[in-house]
Amino acid sequence: MAVLLETTLGDIVIDLFTEERPKTCLNFLKLCKIKYYNYCLIHNVQVQLNRSFKIYGDQARFFDVEKAPRIKHRKKGTVSMVNNGNNQHGSQFLITMGENLDYLNGVHTVFGEVTEGMEVLDKINETFVDKDFVPFQDIRVNHTVILEDPFDDPPDLPVPDGSPEPTKEQLDSGRIGADEVIDDTDGKAAEELDERLKEKEAKTQAILLEMVGDLPDADMRPPENVLFVCKLNPVTTDEDLEIIFSRFGTIKSCEIIRDWKSGDSLCYAFIEFDKQENCEKAYFKMDNVLIDDRRIHVDFSQSVSKIKWKGKGGKYTKDDFNAYEKDVENRTKLALKDQVKPKQDSKYDLIIEEEEEAASHRPSEKKHKEKRHHHHSDDEDSRKSRKHKVSILKPTQQYCSIVLTLSLVILVGCSTQVQIPAWDGRFDCVHYIYALLKGLISKFRAHL
């Protein structure tokens, strides 16, 4: 039980589920037998989760759907009779070109599957369609052949002797004919074809850049008043370049691109003119000109790096860039200001530490108000004396260490103990060492 569909793209063989869907298969086989589908259009190639296409003729009679047993649209090439919305079928059917089309289950009735001609389905799947999913070029069923029919013909079935010729109304679809050859290169010169090829390649690259996020829009064009200058001498400066190109018109900006780390010139620059005419004059006059012993190359800029976008569809203006640059400059100044640390003299280090230590151990005013008032004068005198001692100790620290070392050597060499004077805080380090040496000398003389 199978039917052969001869289409304009190739042949398709459909096996029918006559036992599961007897009424639907009977209707389909008899419509094929009377050549009902001859020259019918594949009028809809839908793009859903996957694709399917529909074939139909004039809707005249309908019959109820067959719901049992339930067969799902699980694989490619499943053939279903289309539901007209009232749980009835007519002559329109569809063929799936994808797997697991669950949205079709329970709506349309599966009654067969494609067993041969999968490559034809792939061709139909690749056809170009409009917004209503109608193919731009006609795809038709030219002829139907019943390979096996288990059902008897109903009485008075008008079976033609041969395949009838198509009428003018059948072939007039308002689209490109199925037998028409589409050749875009017919009647065009080689230069024009090469230019069209380059345009298509550029469009494809722009779409790819838009997909990866490097362009806000594939149809965006670079500015027409900006020149790209390369092969510059590293010694050439922005001011030199601006003076040279300013004879063609007012220059809005002239920037030599430099390495972000070393600041060295990368030997190319961008020059923005106020008018496109001035930019074109500079392009024709300055290419291959000698500047600083280097022959430069001038071309129109293809960069859109300064064009950003605010979300979907919005783009930054020049005022936005000026505000951004100003903000970056202010932040840079603040960062440099934070990096500058005040210089401190090393001889005041200990005094600062003493002041911080005194401040950290200072009691709260609310809790020790009376006590701090009582000892205010004493604390002030002691703090002054401590500062004075530290300031004296700092410049004589090396001298004191030498004297103490000599004193220890003398103590070790003496056989008797020397009474060391007590430190009572009334004299500084130098006086204390002097008293210690005086006792050592007197004891040494006594031994002699």
Side-chain angles (χ1 to χ4, degrees), residues 7 21 40 109 120 150-152 227 240 254 257 259 263 272 323 338 375 423 438:
T7 70
R21 300 286 189 265
C40 285
T109 303
V120 179
F151 303 105
D152 296 333
L227 283 182
D240 298 338
C254 178
I257 308 302
D259 184 78
E272 182 180 2
D338 294 339
H375 298 287
W423 179 277
K438 186 177 180 180

Side-chain angles (χ1 to χ4, degrees), residues 106 141 357 365 432:
V141 178
E357 182 180 357
E365 294 183 359
Y432 179 77

Side-chain angles (χ1 to χ4, degrees), residues 358 361-380 383:
H361 291 82
R362 189 177 302 164
S364 62
E365 294 183 359
K366 185 175 180 181
K367 185 175 181 181
H368 305 283
K369 185 176 181 181
E370 296 180 356
K371 187 175 180 180
R372 187 173 67 252
H373 178 73
H374 179 70
H375 298 287
H376 176 71
S377 60
D378 296 339
D379 293 342
E380 186 175 359
R383 190 181 303 111

Side-chain angles (χ1 to χ4, degrees), residues 52-65:
S52 61
F53 66 87
K54 299 177 183 179
I55 304 174
Y56 76 105
D58 296 332
Q59 303 297 313
R61 299 179 181 179
F62 300 94
F63 58 94
D64 295 334
V65 300

Side-chain angles (χ1 to χ4, degrees), residues 407-418 440 443-444 447:
S407 301
L408 291 175
V409 172
I410 294 172
L411 286 173
V412 173
C414 295
S415 59
T416 61
Q417 295 183 352
V418 179
L440 290 172
K443 192 70 175 178
F444 183 75
H447 280 283

Side-chain angles (χ1 to χ4, degrees), residues 107-158:
V107 181
H108 309 293
T109 303
V110 178
F111 69 96
E113 61 181 359
V114 175
T115 56
E116 297 181 22
M118 290 296 182
E119 68 281 357
V120 179
L121 297 184
D122 294 335
K123 293 180 182 179
I124 298 174
N125 191 35
E126 295 171 358
T127 188
F128 292 97
V129 297
D130 59 12
K131 61 180 181 179
D132 297 323
F133 308 116
V134 179
F136 287 108
Q137 186 173 16
D138 290 346
I139 305 175
R140 296 179 179 273
V141 178
N142 290 331
H143 191 61
T144 57
V145 178
I146 299 177
L147 302 180
E148 186 178 355
D149 184 4
F151 303 105
D152 296 333
D153 296 338
D156 301 329
L157 182 68

Side-chain angles (χ1 to χ4, degrees), residues 226-230 232 236-243 245 251-260 264-273 301 303 305-306 321 325:
V226 179
L227 283 182
F228 170 73
V229 183
C230 61
L232 293 172
T236 305
T237 62
D238 303 59
E239 293 77 11
D240 298 338
L241 207 60
E242 185 174 359
I243 293 173
F245 279 84
I251 294 178
K252 298 173 67 175
S253 66
C254 178
E255 180 184 6
I256 294 179
I257 308 302
R258 301 182 179 277
D259 184 78
W260 67 274
D264 298 335
S265 172
L266 298 180
C267 301
Y268 68 94
F270 292 95
I271 304 175
E272 182 180 2
F273 289 86
S301 174
S303 174
S305 61
K306 286 192 174 182
F321 280 104
E325 292 175 356

